[in-house]
Amino acid sequence: MNSKPKVAIFASGSGSNFQVITDAASAGELHADIVAVVTDKPQAFVVERAKTAGVAVVALRPSDFASKVDYEEAILQELKQLEVEWLVLAGYMRLIGDTLLTAYANRIVNIHPSLLPSFPGKDAIGQALAHGVKVTGVTVHYVDAGMDTGPILSQQAVEVVEGNREQTEHRIHAVEHELYTKTLQQLWMPTASASQGRLNKKL
Ligand code: GAR
C-alpha cells in the first residue's frame, strides 16, 4: 500500500475547509496525513482549529520579512522539517511565489469559490452577485504563477440566491467541503497512481 502523502494546508481565515479535510483524513476517508497548517494571519480561527486537531501551526507574518522570497524561504524551511510533500490552499489569500512554486512544482492545489475562469481573485462571491449571474460555483485547480489560472481538476455549479450573499455563501461552502475532499482523494488514493501519473503528464 502506498504511503500517505504528507500535506500542509495553507489558510488565512476560518478554516472550514481545513476542518473537513483534516476530519476526512483522520476518519481514513482521505488518503493523506495532514501535518501542518501554514497561515499568514496568526490570529485566524484556523489556528485554533489546528491546535484542537493536534496539527502543527506555522504562523508567519509576511510583514516581518524583507521580501516575499524571504517569507517563503522561511515557510519552506518549516515544510522541509516536516517532510511536507503537497500544499493544499484553502482560503489562503496570497499569491504563491516562485520559491514555493519551484519547490512544490505540480504539488500545489487551490480551491476557489467561482467557476474559473470567471471571477478570479478576491471576493469571487461578491463579484458573482454584482454581475447578476444566476449560476456560479466552485473550482479546484493546480496552482501556477497566475491568479487562479492553473489547470482545473474539478468544478461544480452552484445556483446563486439572488441578492442574498449569506445564503449563496452557505451553498458554496457546502459544495466546497464535499468537492475538495473528493478531488484530493482522487488525486492521492493508492489505486489512482496511474491516473495521477496521467494528470501530471498533462501539465
Ligand atoms: C473558501 O470559500 C475558499 O474558496 C476561498 O476562501 C474561503 C475560505 O473558507 N478562497 C478564495 O477566495 C481564494 N481566492 P474557509 O476558511 O472556511 O475554508
Side-chain angles (χ1 to χ4, degrees):
M1 164 146 167
N2 302 12
S3 64
K4 291 181 187 174
K6 290 190 179 186
V7 175
I9 298 186
F10 282 50
S12 305
S14 154
S16 69
N17 281 284
F18 159 81
Q19 191 74 60
V20 169
I21 292 166
T22 302
D23 288 350
S26 300
E29 290 156 12
L30 177 62
H31 187 74
D33 197 0
I34 312 303
V35 298
V37 159
V38 176
T39 187
D40 56 335
K41 299 250 189 295
Q43 310 302 330
F45 186 58
V46 70
V47 171
E48 298 307 315
R49 291 187 193 265
K51 285 180 182 164
T52 304
V55 171
V57 174
V58 177
L60 297 170
R61 278 195 190 83
S63 57
D64 289 342
F65 295 85
S67 66
K68 184 166 184 143
V69 171
D70 287 357
Y71 168 64
E72 289 199 342
E73 280 292 346
I75 293 174
L76 188 54
Q77 290 319 308
E78 301 279 353
L79 297 176
K80 279 184 179 163
Q81 289 227 326
L82 293 161
E83 299 177 345
V84 168
E85 299 166 272
W86 283 81
L87 311 186
V88 167
L89 313 189
Y92 183 67
M93 296 305 186
R94 286 182 181 274
L95 269 184
I96 297 292
D98 282 347
T99 307
L100 290 174
L101 282 174
T102 304
Y104 287 93
N106 302 329
R107 292 280 185 280
I108 313 178
V109 183
N110 181 43
I111 192 160
H112 186 77
S114 76
L115 292 176
L116 291 171
S118 290
F119 312 134
K122 286 193 178 149
D123 194 16
I125 299 171
Q127 291 184 55
L129 286 164
H131 276 81
V133 296
K134 305 291 179 207
V135 175
T136 183
V138 174
T139 303
V140 179
H141 64 97
Y142 280 110
V143 172
D144 64 12
M147 173 76 82
D148 302 319
T149 51
I152 290 170
L153 285 160
S154 63
Q155 290 187 303
Q156 194 169 320
V158 174
E159 272 187 48
V160 170
V161 184
E162 225 171 293
N164 192 323
R165 188 187 174 105
E166 201 180 322
Q167 284 183 27
T168 304
E169 248 173 30
H170 185 76
R171 285 184 176 182
I172 288 202
H173 278 133
V175 168
E176 284 188 340
H177 295 160
E178 224 173 277
L179 189 68
Y180 216 177
T181 310
K182 199 168 86 183
T183 305
L184 293 173
Q185 177 64 347
Q186 281 167 1
L187 211 53
W188 296 331
M189 64 185 168
T191 51
S193 55
S195 65
Q196 183 185 324
R198 278 200 301 279
L199 273 171
N200 288 340
K201 241 187 242 167
K202 279 203 272 178
L203 297 174

